[in-house]
Amino acid sequence: MTDSSTSQLVGVAIPTLLELRAAVLTSSAPEAAVASLRDAGFAGGEAVHAAFERWLAETGEPSSEGDWSRADAGSLSIEDFGGRTSRFFRDAGWGEVSFQPDDTEGVAIVDIVDCWEGSADGGLAPGCHLTTGLLASFFGLIAGYPVAVLETECCGGDGTRCRFVMGNAEVMNAWWERLSVP
């Protein structure tokens, strides 16, 4: 019944994801667990991207310029893309999501207030590991090249939001080095 080339998106309750996350984090070495969660998030990016493209076509909203024909993410202006991406993820239960490019740094920033994953850290390898992997896959498909994602703030660490910075590998390596230097 299902074509193997068709992406599938199945709704899974947040409590289920949090239990699976906790099980992975407590059953293996922390670094291996974090890598596994990021890989799992990345694996779901294609299905979320396909759902986003379908959602864009189904919402039938015109762009900010009044153009009704723009039904795919690649043809949206950066403002329309940011607004629609934010609404899509918010409506899917990810929290209050905002997307903004930072042209001076060559990155894009995604902030999530009330992030489903960050709010449940419970002391186990804090961070939004599934979310980081999924954002890398999702935005890489939008950009048409590999995108690296770095979580720079997590609401699980008593913050108010989770912040993800993303860009190409070279730019993100520079960010990592800048953050790692004491």
Side-chain angles (χ1 to χ4, degrees):
M1 180 170 177
T2 302
D3 179 354
S4 63
S5 66
T6 303
S7 296
Q8 297 294 313
L9 187 64
V10 176
V12 178
I14 289 172
T16 301
L17 290 171
L18 294 175
E19 285 295 319
L20 288 169
R21 181 184 184 277
V24 169
L25 288 171
T26 57
S27 68
S28 61
E31 287 181 15
V34 167
S36 292
L37 289 169
R38 286 188 181 149
D39 288 348
F42 192 88
E46 188 174 339
V48 173
H49 176 262
F52 178 64
E53 292 287 352
R54 279 192 305 276
W55 178 83
L56 285 174
E58 291 169 3
T59 58
E61 296 179 17
S63 69
S64 60
E65 296 87 24
D67 184 354
W68 284 84
S69 66
R70 295 182 177 194
D72 68 277
S75 64
L76 295 172
S77 69
I78 197 70
E79 293 82 19
D80 283 335
F81 175 76
R84 292 184 193 199
T85 302
S86 297
R87 193 169 117 211
F88 173 78
F89 280 107
R90 182 198 65 226
D91 291 353
W94 287 72
E96 288 299 318
V97 178
S98 67
F99 170 86
Q100 62 247 348
D102 183 339
D103 294 332
T104 60
E105 295 285 336
V107 298
I109 299 168
V110 172
D111 287 330
I112 306 175
V113 175
D114 297 326
C115 179
W116 73 271
E117 188 176 11
S119 62
D121 118 7
L124 301 168
C128 300
H129 314 301
L130 285 162
T131 303
T132 300
L134 187 127
L135 292 175
S137 177
F138 178 85
F139 284 104
L141 289 165
I142 299 287
Y145 59 83
V147 170
V149 176
L150 176 63
E151 184 178 21
T152 59
E153 295 177 39
C154 184
C155 65
D158 296 327
T160 58
R161 69 176 178 219
C162 297
R163 172 165 277 187
F164 304 87
V165 179
M166 60 189 136
N168 67 40
E170 182 179 326
V171 168
M172 294 314 300
N173 281 334
W175 267 77
W176 178 254
E177 289 173 13
R178 199 170 22 183
L179 292 173
S180 300
V181 174

